[in-house]
Amino acid sequence: MRNKITIQDIANEVGMSKYAVSRALSGKSGVSPETRQYIVQSAEQLGYFKGKPLTKFYSPIVEIPSETWTGTILVLFPNIPYQDTESLYWGPLFNGISTRLSQKGVNILTLTEPPNDSIFSLLNPDAIKGIITLGSIATSILLDIQSLNIPIIMVDHLDSNLQCDTIFSDNMIAIQQIMKQLISDGYRKYQFIGKIHDAQSFNERWLAYRTALEDHNIELNQNPILISPTLEHIQDAILEAVQQDGIPEVFVCANDTTAMFAIEALNSMGIQVPRDCILTGFDYTYPELPLYATANVNKEIIGSRAVDQLFWRIINPNQPYERKLLSAELILNRQYSKPLQNT
């Protein structure tokens, strides 16, 4: 009986490494389309695919064609205040999406998630080529989309009930950069502010903050009331936290909007920034704020990359799902540092 054909057998036949053969058979990048076809044909001649579905091993990656597309792309906003086209964060991101779709000649339809009805009681799914969601969308709606096999890209959100491509800013690295700068400048007393379960990005920034403290042997003395308030209740949360624990050297805020609300709350209490404490933010939506540091997220590029990923997914439906991270630029304003007393 003939022995089972192995990856090494194919590599010997084509005169290439096992690594190249493995990537070609799994449809991964790293080999040219011509080389991939040659490897697959050689494997087929050797009998490697006998009893196996060929598409399991050979799902070629197709690049996005340059010609104009047709159809309609739905951009779905959550039913959450502040998350719409007027938002200083989501507005530019949406502009990146709409500009890229316009370049491709594709129609765009925007919708806020319905609070009760199925999304497709409002739409004809046959007319929708793909969907881009912005922020946290209800699981029930995501499952509706999944059941119809409509390609979907989620921006700034994950849902364990649905596997799809996602686009994020690189929250972990950006916060680690901010924390590294703070710690190297001698700051040791911190509090994080932001409703960490409101968004995946907030949670990742919180995790990166905690990790940075742990890596530098700085005790986490987090007041839990500061990681649960809505924007409208930040003032009450900060007042209670300061009464309980005093004023930290640094408030690390989930984003610039949180920092803006926090500064207003501190000012109302007679606590001045940066005289009494310093703050950091994220997203760079309020450049005028006296923040020691923030992270400049290129929102338009995130939107444009979401469109490109959606087109790529449409023509590569069987490829593994991807999570793309776009780096954010550290914005450091040392003029807003707080003079540290010698201990």
Side-chain angles (χ1 to χ4, degrees):
M1 180 180 292
R2 180 180 176 86
N3 293 332
K4 179 180 178 182
I5 301 298
T6 67
I7 296 289
Q8 185 63 62
D9 293 330
I10 302 169
N12 293 339
E13 176 71 17
V14 300
M16 298 180 186
S17 68
K18 288 175 63 177
Y19 173 81
V21 170
S22 176
R23 295 192 72 81
L25 294 178
S26 60
K28 295 180 180 179
S29 60
V31 293
S32 69
E34 295 79 10
T35 299
R36 180 180 291 112
Q37 177 146 359
Y38 171 57
I39 292 173
V40 171
Q41 288 175 346
S42 298
E44 190 171 15
Q45 291 170 1
L46 289 173
Y48 181 71
F49 296 112
K50 284 185 177 179
K52 305 172 183 176
L54 183 60
T55 55
K56 178 180 179 182
F57 300 94
Y58 182 43
S59 180
I61 295 175
V62 181
E63 297 302 324
I64 301 173
S66 59
E67 66 267 15
T68 299
W69 289 58
T70 59
T72 297
I73 301 299
L74 171 66
V75 178
L76 185 60
F77 285 87
N79 189 16
I80 299 174
Y82 312 114
Q83 292 194 19
D84 53 29
T85 57
E86 301 301 315
S87 162
L88 293 177
Y89 179 81
W90 296 106
L93 200 154
F94 175 76
N95 288 340
I97 292 173
S98 59
T99 298
R100 187 67 173 136
L101 289 175
S102 177
Q103 291 170 350
K104 288 293 183 180
V106 180
N107 297 325
I108 183 171
L109 176 65
T110 61
L111 182 69
T112 298
E113 62 173 325
N116 299 313
D117 298 332
S118 164
I119 183 173
F120 293 112
S121 66
L122 307 174
L123 299 170
N124 175 11
D126 294 333
I128 305 300
K129 193 178 191 71
I131 297 177
I132 299 174
T133 69
L134 303 184
S136 301
I137 301 296
T139 297
S140 59
I141 289 180
L142 294 175
L143 292 177
D144 274 350
I145 297 170
Q146 183 183 45
S147 68
L148 293 168
N149 294 318
I150 298 176
I152 179 173
I153 306 296
M154 293 198 295
V155 178
D156 208 25
H157 184 54
L158 288 176
D159 191 310
S160 60
N161 297 285
L162 176 72
Q163 289 195 18
C164 69
D165 298 320
T166 58
I167 309 285
F168 283 88
S169 60
D170 197 338
N171 299 293
M172 302 289 285
I173 294 298
I175 288 294
Q176 288 171 2
Q177 290 176 334
I178 290 174
M179 293 300 297
K180 181 179 180 180
Q181 193 64 58
L182 286 164
I183 292 169
S184 67
D185 283 354
Y187 295 101
R188 293 297 182 270
K189 298 178 181 179
Y190 298 87
Q191 288 290 325
F192 190 94
I193 304 180
K195 193 172 182 181
I196 61 175
H197 298 302
D198 248 11
Q200 178 68 23
S201 287
F202 284 11
N203 192 52
E204 291 179 0
R205 294 166 197 174
W206 159 248
L207 293 175
Y209 162 81
R210 290 179 55 184
T211 299
L213 294 182
E214 181 179 340
D215 288 347
H216 291 85
N217 297 314
I218 299 175
E219 187 175 357
L220 176 67
N221 292 311
Q222 180 67 40
N223 191 313
I225 195 173
L226 292 176
I227 55 175
S228 60
T230 61
L231 290 175
E232 293 79 5
H233 294 95
I234 280 182
Q235 180 168 346
D236 293 337
I238 292 178
L239 175 60
E240 184 174 341
V242 169
Q243 288 174 342
Q244 292 175 354
D245 305 320
I247 307 171
E249 293 173 326
V250 184
F251 285 107
V252 176
C253 300
N255 62 4
D256 281 12
T257 301
T258 301
M260 180 182 67
F261 276 75
I263 290 172
E264 292 177 356
L266 292 166
N267 287 341
S268 70
M269 298 162 58
I271 300 172
Q272 294 185 19
V273 177
R275 185 197 68 186
D276 301 317
C277 62
I278 63 172
L279 279 76
T280 69
F282 207 103
D283 297 338
Y284 201 46
T285 48
Y286 294 96
E288 70 279 7
L289 290 178
L291 300 179
Y292 171 92
T294 186
N296 185 14
V297 176
N298 194 321
K299 307 158 195 68
E300 290 86 355
I301 292 297
I302 290 179
S304 175
R305 296 293 287 120
V307 171
D308 287 345
Q309 185 66 21
L310 181 60
F311 288 158
W312 187 91
R313 175 55 56 193
I314 290 170
I315 59 178
N316 292 280
N318 297 320
Q319 292 298 323
Y321 293 116
E322 300 180 350
R323 174 173 178 171
K324 292 191 178 297
L325 300 178
L326 279 68
S327 62
E329 177 191 5
L330 175 65
I331 305 294
L332 188 63
N333 299 303
R334 273 209 174 93
Q335 70 268 31
Y336 297 126
S337 62
K338 172 183 177 292
L340 296 175
Q341 297 181 1
N342 294 327
T343 56

